[in-house]
Amino acid sequence: MNLSLFLFLIGILGFILNRKNIILMIIAIEIMLLAVTLLVLISSIGFDDNGGQTFSIYIISIAGAESVIGLSILVAYYRLRGTISLRT
Amino acid sequence: MTTLFINILAFGTLLSSIFSITSKNPVISVIFLISTFVQAALYLIFIGINFVGISYIVIYVGAIAVLFLFVIMMINIKLTDILETGNQYTKNLPLAIAIGSLFIFIIFTIVPFNFNNVPALSVLLDKITYFNSILSNSNIVSINLINSIVNNYFLSSISDVIITEFQQIEVLGHGLYTYGAVLLITLSVILLLAMFATIIISRNNKNIKT
């Protein structure tokens, strides 16, 4: 359980520290989703329950949809602005 | 032996996630992200969640990381834009320290920090309680007083048996198709909408000329 909590903390810190780089922000969101899924899985196997694996399947698919939409927004942004830097 | 592997994999997951956040080149960052996902999947396989661990490797490394690499290769980023991001750390550092300390405070007041979930240390604690019970002549040896998940789960060492064990996939499919069927349909609609949104966003729009 400590592993997933620290992984979530690393994801939050990466999201805060890299606010100029969209790709690293999406990567940090992926790391946070990985941490949440690990927390659900480890807790469910600790309770000897199987519902956590079902919900982890849902979370994995939501993570895939989220990263697809984020990267397509990134491509559209690059096509409009010519750069991906968030500096204004 | 497996607890040693679990320790190494947990430490490697944290280390490669830190590397993937702090690296400047996005390609190297994505490669460390792949390393994080593979190590987390191996961690899940070692603690006994086989099918979800393998599907982690399939989905994350096969779909999402390849998608990241594809986008990074498609838009050619000028490295001079990216290389300045290291200087921005000091500007965001107070906010990072504030949010990180607040997170640690909130989480570890709800869940108190213990070394019981770290398998090497909890093996040592198990040895101590074992010798305690020997010295005090009590029969309560097998009660694992610490809630370490890893130690009281039965770990078979033959990997073929682990992979071809069919019970877990069966139960997972039963859960997905009975009480999770509504969520599964919603999930498929969400994936369909994600596909439509990607096509519509990245369509070459002739009307917008900026």
Side-chain angles (χ1 to χ4, degrees), chain A residues 15-80:
Chain A
F15 192 80
I16 294 168
L17 288 176
N18 291 315
R19 281 198 298 178
K20 295 292 186 292
N21 196 351
I22 308 181
I23 294 176
L24 280 182
M25 286 170 72
I26 299 174
I27 285 174
I29 291 174
E30 290 296 323
I31 289 175
M32 279 193 278
L33 281 168
L34 173 79
V36 169
T37 318
L38 273 182
L39 186 61
V40 169
L41 280 173
I42 293 171
S43 302
S44 81
I45 202 173
F47 287 141
D48 278 337
D49 192 10
N50 196 46
Q53 300 192 16
T54 312
F55 277 96
S56 74
I57 297 291
Y58 297 145
I59 298 174
I60 288 174
S61 307
I62 294 295
E66 174 265 336
S67 85
V68 164
I69 291 178
L71 287 174
S72 71
I73 288 174
L74 174 64
V75 169
Y77 184 83
Y78 175 76
R79 196 173 286 162
L80 283 178

Side-chain angles (χ1 to χ4, degrees), chain A residues 57-65 69, chain B residues 176-177 180-197:
Chain A
I57 297 291
Y58 297 145
I59 298 174
I60 288 174
S61 307
I62 294 295
I69 291 178
Chain B
L176 273 176
Y177 283 118
V182 179
L183 287 177
L184 192 68
I185 293 169
T186 314
L187 187 68
S188 61
V189 173
I190 285 174
L191 281 178
L192 185 70
L193 284 180
M195 192 185 74
F196 278 154

